[in-house]
Amino acid sequence: MGVDNRTAFLHSKRMASHGELRLIGENYDPGFIGMMKEDDGYGSSDDFEGALGNDQDTADNGRPPKKKKKFHRHNPHQIHELESFFKECPHPDEKQRRELSRRLALESKQIKFWFQNRRTQMKTQLERHENVFLKQENDKLRAENDLLRQAIASAICNNCGVPAVPDEISYEPSQLMIENSRLKDELNRARALTNKFLGRHLSSSSANPSPSPSQGLNSNVEVVVRRTGFCGLNNGSISLPMGFEFGHGATMPLMNPSFAYEMPYDKSALVDVALAAMDELIKMAQMGNPLWIKGFGDGMETLNLEEYKRTFSSFIGMKPSGFTTEATRETAMVPLRGLALVDTLMDANRWAEMFPCMISRAVTIDVLSSGKGVTRDKALQLMEAEFQVLSPLVPIRQIQFIRFCKQHSDSVWAIVDVSINLSNAANALMFANCRRLPSGCVIQDMDNKYSKVTWVEHSEYDESTVHHLFRPLLSSGFGFGAQRWIATLRRQYSSLAQLMSPDIHGEDINTVGKKSMLKLAQRMAYNFSAGIGASSVNKWDKLNVGNVGEDVRVMTRKNVNDPGEPLGIVLSAATSVWMPITQQTLFGFLRNERMRNQWDILSSGRPMQAMFSVAKGPGQGNCVSILRGAAVNGSDTNMLILQETWSDACGALIVYAPVDASSIRVVMNGGDSSHVALLPSGFAILPGVQTDGPSMQPDIDENTSDGCILTVGFQILVNSVPTAKLTVESVETVNHLLTCTVEKIKAALSVTQLGSVE
């Protein structure tokens, strides 16, 4: 569909919507549009005819103007009653107006003009939203046309090898429409060829995703042309980008075709949902008691569900049967400017990199509005993400949602997410385990180069899919709640500030080498998290073997051409157990290189020593280290261990991988780390939670004894030949290693009555 045709279609849709104003008004909620000014006619019922008469009388020669009518302001009770009636009937008849006049002590004319003004305001607001989207549709069509035009201009003839430059294309509207139609035909033929030879369907959204503001209009489209008597275009085939760039260079696979948006969706409806979600987020962030109940002492805030139901109406449907609610709120000071955080949150790749242990996959599917300039005000985009807790016993939450950013003042932004389901019955299982109610953050710039961030997380999920060991953790909000988002945000920005510091602490390594080593450690931690949570980024096949316990997840995949890990068949095994000791005690033991020989098979019973470490933030445990086994009988080893550790109020991580000494030496000298083969293993620690009372707190200090949850994960190369068959003996060997490691940790810490997950 060309520019003019598509614009005409949207314009006709807008006119049709005006004809259905009555139906819209019957379900209208003023919270969807936002609070309106009282002096817009919404809180008053002045007479339009009288006002017009005054202007006419004033224009007459020498005649004094009539005395203006006294302006009447309705009281809150009258406005509330009028609004309630407007929701039910935006066009009252004469009898209904008389009844309202009698009940509210207003004249019938006042009732009449109030409803006229109210309908006019709603109609104006709808037109404003639709005009914005019409302009965006026109801009996107022009951008698409320019993109295809650039690709054709750089086309090369297959036969003669010279540039195939078509005639100059006019930018007149009629010529644009014809050219756009022709280019779309070329693209459709390319999709047909792709579907035929690759066995997959490429939708327009995945083949040519709308560029985000940070990405620009950078084309990856290549056009191949054939000579037919002259260097022109004939049945050109188009090579399309087959994935999204993800973070540090890894490629994000295309969505499953079931998630692609082949069907149209009502963008104006998404705007209404976004506005309502923003309104709810602001109120959730600002309101106190009785909506939020403070725990004892410095306890967490708990959402009063009854008060929430009285205050807010559900605009994404009723709560599914059997679902449990989790809602948390947390406020903290973060060392960065608000706009920098806004840019990070509105970019799917940077957002996933900022929260690597919480987000296993994130992608922007469509940009409905790019917002106003650098402030990103009124930016609206459609996204999909996978949220995870580092344990095989907690299923990944795959959620489709819209993300809306609004700048409320020069120094205040708010970003809200809310789940949507555009797939209807075709994908009824998409939100089978979770849906996200209005969640997000309010960001306020402070004078000291810090930002005050208030984070709200509100979800409903199927608790029956979660192992009972993790149910208290998730219901308290420490699995996916605001406290974990804030703790991760503060730790990551502290790490970034440390990295940007002119003197990064470390020995015998320059600044470039330190940054290269940190990048390698980032990839190691990311691959470890993806293996624990079974993210769709890495295609793992789950194995069911008779001798493996039900609380152990064993998966496998083949690496054929990725230089970042050894080639062959990789096995991943992970489990979670309860440890009746504090998070800090367990973390201190596992990161201590002098005690490593008590549990690590790679140490061969020898003590380990740290060659050097690079600090990633405040605290002794937040660092990246290179470990080396002590020499035995004068013999040295060529195998080193790369290790990253960190701990905060919501958990801890110890990830390590054996690396070749020559490879790590290249990295330390500032070389490329992407070709260093890694298979990470390690531990994730989550705090214990007290469930007896409203002040559910994480167990991270030394004075409590409730314990913590330890997740152990290994990734091991069992065969260097990718085409080899996996044997049961290999699976049992990895499972035995997992079990022995847990038992050695128990024995070293003198932990009794531990067992596996009960």
Side-chain angles (χ1 to χ4, degrees):
M1 183 182 297
V3 177
D4 293 344
N5 291 343
R6 191 167 180 178
T7 304
F9 168 74
L10 292 172
H11 180 70
S12 64
K13 179 180 176 182
R14 175 167 62 89
M15 297 303 295
S17 67
H18 294 163
E20 298 172 357
L21 189 61
R22 178 184 179 90
L23 297 178
I24 296 175
E26 292 175 356
N27 298 308
Y28 177 77
D29 187 344
F32 279 49
I33 304 299
M35 298 300 294
M36 297 186 177
K37 296 180 181 178
E38 290 184 346
D39 56 358
D40 287 337
Y42 170 37
S44 62
S45 55
D46 207 1
D47 191 335
F48 285 161
E49 297 174 355
L52 182 61
N54 290 341
D55 293 339
Q56 293 172 343
D57 291 344
T58 304
D60 292 342
N61 294 330
R63 292 171 54 181
K66 292 182 180 180
K67 186 177 180 180
K68 293 185 177 181
K69 292 180 62 177
K70 185 178 179 181
F71 193 77
H72 177 77
R73 180 76 64 188
H74 301 327
N75 60 45
H77 171 71
Q78 292 171 332
I79 294 176
H80 176 74
E81 292 295 324
L82 290 169
E83 278 290 352
S84 300
F85 195 89
F86 184 84
K87 292 179 183 179
E88 301 296 330
C89 179
H91 292 271
D93 56 24
E94 183 64 28
K95 181 179 179 181
Q96 291 171 321
R97 289 200 298 269
R98 285 199 303 269
E99 174 61 23
L100 282 172
S101 174
R102 182 192 62 79
R103 189 171 51 172
L104 300 179
L106 294 172
E107 297 180 5
S108 180
K109 181 187 290 187
Q110 290 178 301
I111 300 294
K112 174 183 177 182
F113 283 111
W114 188 94
F115 275 88
Q116 287 181 353
N117 294 346
R118 192 69 183 83
R119 290 192 298 269
T120 301
Q121 284 182 339
M122 187 172 67
K123 179 180 178 181
T124 302
Q125 190 72 21
L126 289 173
E127 287 181 340
R128 185 180 298 118
H129 288 318
E130 289 169 1
N131 287 338
V132 169
F133 278 116
L134 283 171
K135 183 178 182 302
Q136 291 170 356
E137 286 293 328
N138 186 57
D139 292 342
K140 288 172 69 175
L141 282 172
R142 287 187 176 273
E144 179 184 2
N145 190 284
D146 290 340
L147 182 66
L148 295 173
R149 188 187 309 279
Q150 292 168 14
I152 293 176
S154 60
I156 302 297
C157 177
N158 276 348
N159 293 335
C160 63
V162 299
V165 182
D167 294 336
E168 180 101 11
I169 299 175
S170 171
Y171 276 87
E172 291 298 324
S174 59
Q175 290 296 323
L176 277 176
M177 183 176 64
I178 297 172
E179 176 65 11
N180 201 36
S181 176
R182 188 181 68 81
L183 294 176
K184 282 182 177 292
D185 288 341
E186 295 286 345
L187 187 60
N188 289 334
R189 284 196 291 269
R191 290 200 190 106
L193 289 173
T194 304
N195 187 34
K196 177 179 179 181
F197 293 109
L198 297 182
R200 69 173 69 181
H201 176 73
L202 294 181
S203 67
S204 59
S205 61
S206 60
N208 187 20
S210 300
S212 66
S214 62
Q215 293 170 330
L217 195 61
N218 184 16
S219 173
N220 287 326
V221 181
E222 299 174 354
V223 181
V224 181
V225 296
R226 293 197 303 237
R227 185 180 181 90
T228 57
F230 58 93
C231 290
L233 298 179
N234 181 24
N235 293 331
S237 61
I238 300 180
S239 174
L240 298 167
M242 299 307 294
F244 300 93
E245 273 303 299
F246 187 68
H248 45 272
T251 299
M252 173 69 69
L254 281 176
M255 296 178 300
N256 185 295
S258 61
F259 299 144
Y261 288 88
E262 301 170 6
M263 64 183 69
Y265 48 89
D266 188 350
K267 293 182 178 180
S268 61
L270 295 186
V271 171
D272 288 341
V273 172
L275 292 172
M278 178 63 70
D279 181 64
E280 180 172 323
L281 174 70
I282 295 299
K283 292 178 181 178
M284 291 276 284
Q286 294 177 344
M287 296 175 67
N289 197 295
L291 183 64
W292 294 97
I293 302 174
K294 187 77 172 178
F296 298 111
D298 59 348
M300 293 170 48
E301 292 179 307
T302 303
L303 181 66
N304 184 339
L305 296 180
E306 293 300 323
E307 182 65 23
Y308 174 80
K309 293 177 182 178
R310 286 192 293 267
T311 306
F312 303 102
S313 58
S314 176
F315 50 87
I316 61 172
M318 299 298 293
K319 176 180 177 181
S321 177
F323 273 39
T324 300
T325 300
E326 61 179 26
T328 52
R329 182 174 69 174
E330 182 76 0
T331 301
M333 302 296 292
V334 180
L336 82 160
R337 289 296 189 184
L339 188 56
L341 180 55
V342 169
D343 287 337
T344 298
L345 297 178
M346 296 305 293
D347 186 295
N349 293 338
R350 293 169 60 188
W351 177 50
E353 285 186 343
M354 181 60 64
F355 303 94
C357 293
M358 302 182 67
I359 305 170
S360 60
R361 174 179 174 269
V363 61
T364 299
I365 300 172
D366 193 9
V367 178
L368 305 180
S369 170
S370 59
K372 296 181 180 178
V374 296
T375 65
R376 309 303 298 272
D377 182 34
K378 297 183 176 64
L380 178 62
Q381 53 198 39
L382 189 60
M383 303 181 69
E384 182 176 288
E386 293 178 357
F387 301 91
Q388 65 180 359
V389 169
L390 291 184
S391 172
L393 306 182
V394 180
I396 282 180
R397 296 180 175 182
Q398 186 181 67
I399 301 178
Q400 285 179 347
F401 57 95
I402 53 174
R403 174 164 292 180
F404 180 47
C405 174
K406 182 173 177 59
Q407 185 178 19
H408 292 269
S409 69
D410 290 341
S411 60
V412 177
W413 292 263
I415 298 177
V416 64
D417 298 346
V418 62
S419 287
I420 56 172
N421 186 357
L422 302 178
S423 304
N424 299 323
N427 270 310
L429 298 178
M430 180 174 294
F431 303 117
N433 67 343
C434 178
R435 67 174 190 165
R436 203 170 188 211
L437 278 68
S439 303
C441 58
V442 178
I443 307 164
Q444 180 181 1
D445 258 340
M446 310 303 286
D447 296 333
N448 55 357
K449 295 184 179 181
Y450 275 67
S451 293
K452 179 182 178 182
V453 180
T454 300
W455 204 291
V456 176
E457 278 296 318
H458 191 189
S459 300
E460 294 170 345
Y461 66 99
D462 185 1
E463 193 177 50
S464 64
T465 63
V466 180
H467 196 284
H468 68 83
L469 179 67
F470 283 88
R471 290 179 184 177
L473 185 79
L474 266 59
S475 63
S476 69
F478 276 96
F480 297 96
Q483 287 75 14
R484 192 175 175 212
W485 289 97
I486 286 290
T488 304
L489 183 66
R490 297 181 68 180
R491 175 171 48 79
Q492 289 286 75
Y493 271 103
S494 296
S495 175
L496 180 61
Q498 184 79 14
L499 180 61
M500 300 300 292
S501 175
D503 52 344
I504 306 178
H505 300 293
E507 300 176 359
D508 303 326
I509 180 173
N510 58 35
T511 302
V512 177
K514 293 170 187 175
K515 293 182 179 180
S516 182
M517 195 169 74
L518 290 177
K519 186 175 181 180
L520 179 62
Q522 180 188 30
R523 174 161 64 90
M524 175 180 67
Y526 170 76
N527 288 342
F528 174 77
S529 301
I532 292 291
S535 168
S536 62
V537 175
N538 294 325
K539 295 183 179 179
W540 293 96
D541 295 322
K542 188 176 180 181
L543 300 177
N544 293 315
V545 182
N547 294 334
V548 177
E550 61 179 10
D551 298 323
V552 178
R553 176 191 286 164
V554 180
M555 302 179 296
T556 183
R557 61 185 173 88
K558 296 179 180 181
N559 178 34
V560 179
N561 54 12
D562 183 3
E565 64 180 28
L567 300 181
I569 300 177
V570 179
L571 265 183
S572 172
T575 190
S576 296
V577 296
W578 174 259
M579 301 288 286
I581 55 176
T582 63
Q583 172 185 317
Q584 288 298 336
T585 299
L586 184 57
F587 175 71
F589 169 74
L590 293 174
R591 68 171 295 270
N592 191 330
E593 65 272 7
R594 294 187 300 272
M595 299 181 181
R596 193 182 188 96
N597 60 344
Q598 299 184 45
W599 57 265
D600 187 7
I601 190 174
L602 293 176
S603 67
S604 302
R606 298 179 297 172
M608 305 287 288
Q609 61 183 18
M611 296 176 58
F612 56 83
S613 65
V614 178
K616 290 189 62 180
Q620 197 173 18
N622 193 351
C623 63
V624 175
S625 307
I626 295 292
L627 308 179
R628 177 176 58 190
V632 177
N633 298 327
S635 63
D636 202 354
T637 177
N638 196 41
M639 185 60 66
L640 304 177
I641 293 177
L642 174 68
Q643 177 174 279
E644 178 177 2
T645 60
W646 56 257
S647 178
D648 59 32
C650 293
L653 190 73
I654 303 100
V655 184
Y656 61 91
V659 292
D660 184 71
S662 59
S663 299
I664 204 67
R665 196 175 297 114
V666 172
V667 174
M668 292 170 59
N669 290 329
D672 184 12
S673 64
S674 62
H675 294 282
V676 178
L678 290 176
L679 279 180
S681 300
F683 309 93
I685 307 173
L686 293 171
V689 173
Q690 300 173 1
T691 59
D692 52 345
S695 59
M696 296 176 288
Q697 289 290 332
D699 181 21
I700 60 174
D701 59 72
E702 298 291 342
N703 300 322
T704 57
S705 58
D706 280 6
C708 59
I709 301 173
L710 173 66
T711 296
V712 186
F714 289 103
Q715 294 184 31
I716 297 176
L717 183 71
V718 295
N719 198 311
S720 59
V721 181
T723 57
K725 293 184 178 180
L726 184 65
T727 63
V728 176
E729 290 76 11
S730 299
V731 177
E732 292 179 346
T733 299
V734 176
N735 182 52
H736 178 70
L737 173 62
L738 192 70
T739 304
C740 287
T741 301
V742 173
E743 293 300 330
K744 287 181 178 180
I745 294 173
K746 297 180 194 177
L749 294 173
S750 300
V751 174
T752 59
Q753 298 180 351
L754 195 68
S756 60
V757 180
E758 297 177 359

